[in-house]
Amino acid sequence: MNSRQENLFRQLKTYREEVLHTLENVTDHEAEWIPENFRNNIRWQIGHLYLDQYLWIETLTKENIEIPECIRKSFGFGTSPESFDEETPTYSELKELLKKQPDLILKQYSNCLDKEFPPTEMGMQTIEQVLIRTIFHEGMHLQAINDIKKCLHTSKIAPQV
């Protein structure tokens, strides 16, 4: 791995740690709350982050990554907490998955980051390009998490789930 790719993984881990740090004082109850004018909650946000990273790698490489069907069903594009059921991972389980994911991606893909594949609809041809895109995506959802947390703190009534 060259220094540019090492930096990419350092950023991937750093931004993921930032998300996890943001979640430190969020309770299970708070993670389930959907503020007015929001479509999703914090639990959905982090499940979606976990899934999205793998989906883009799958889209690019055409390999089938072992992602439990309950994660695909609950956190894919266009889903919401309304699709959660007893198989949907808990908030705590999702935080653990998020914590482990960067190292798993590093282990599996560090030797082929610049291998070219047929381009995705967004023009990405390498795993390196996919990871850059998912880091950007992670920042968008980190903002959504922070917005929900702001609503939690400004709510005059304790959120009801």
Side-chain angles (χ1 to χ4, degrees):
M1 212 170 27
N2 64 40
S3 62
R4 184 185 79 241
Q5 293 166 337
E6 288 172 1
N7 187 50
L8 174 65
F9 274 105
R10 196 168 28 259
Q11 289 176 346
L12 183 67
K13 287 181 177 188
T14 299
Y15 292 123
R16 182 57 56 85
E17 288 167 4
E18 190 172 334
V19 169
L20 292 167
H21 177 73
T22 299
L23 301 173
E24 282 178 1
N25 296 317
V26 175
T27 67
D28 290 352
H29 179 72
E30 291 169 335
E32 299 298 326
W33 184 59
I34 303 172
E36 189 175 331
N37 298 320
F38 282 72
R39 184 164 187 254
N40 295 303
N41 56 27
I42 290 174
R43 181 178 170 202
W44 183 90
Q45 296 290 333
I46 65 174
H48 179 73
L49 284 176
Y50 176 80
L51 176 62
D52 183 77
Q53 205 149 46
Y54 283 140
L55 288 181
W56 277 107
I57 293 171
E58 252 186 5
T59 298
L60 178 70
T61 64
K62 306 296 187 244
E63 68 184 40
N64 186 24
I65 298 175
E66 290 186 33
I67 306 166
E69 189 56 36
C70 61
I71 291 178
R72 291 178 188 270
K73 183 178 92 175
S74 298
F75 302 108
F77 181 77
T79 62
S80 75
E82 292 174 4
S83 63
F84 290 0
D85 59 27
E86 64 281 343
E87 294 179 3
T88 304
T90 66
Y91 175 59
S92 295
E93 291 168 336
L94 290 167
K95 287 191 296 186
E96 279 304 308
L97 290 171
L98 276 183
K99 191 181 299 183
K100 295 174 184 175
Q101 190 178 33
D103 287 330
L104 293 173
I105 290 172
L106 173 63
K107 182 179 177 185
Q108 184 153 3
Y109 298 104
S110 63
N111 293 327
C112 60
L113 288 173
D114 51 10
K115 177 183 174 187
E116 290 199 11
F117 295 89
T120 66
E121 71 273 7
M122 291 181 70
M124 296 177 288
Q125 293 183 274
T126 67
I127 292 172
E128 182 178 35
Q129 292 168 347
V130 164
L131 293 178
I132 290 167
R133 183 253 175 235
T134 63
I135 288 170
F136 169 77
H137 180 255
E138 192 140 335
M140 291 173 30
H141 286 278
L142 175 59
Q143 182 60 53
I145 292 166
N146 281 322
D147 289 344
I148 293 170
K149 283 181 67 175
K150 210 177 289 181
C151 291
L152 278 166
H153 296 300
T154 59
S155 177
K156 293 186 183 345
I157 301 171
Q160 299 298 312
V161 180

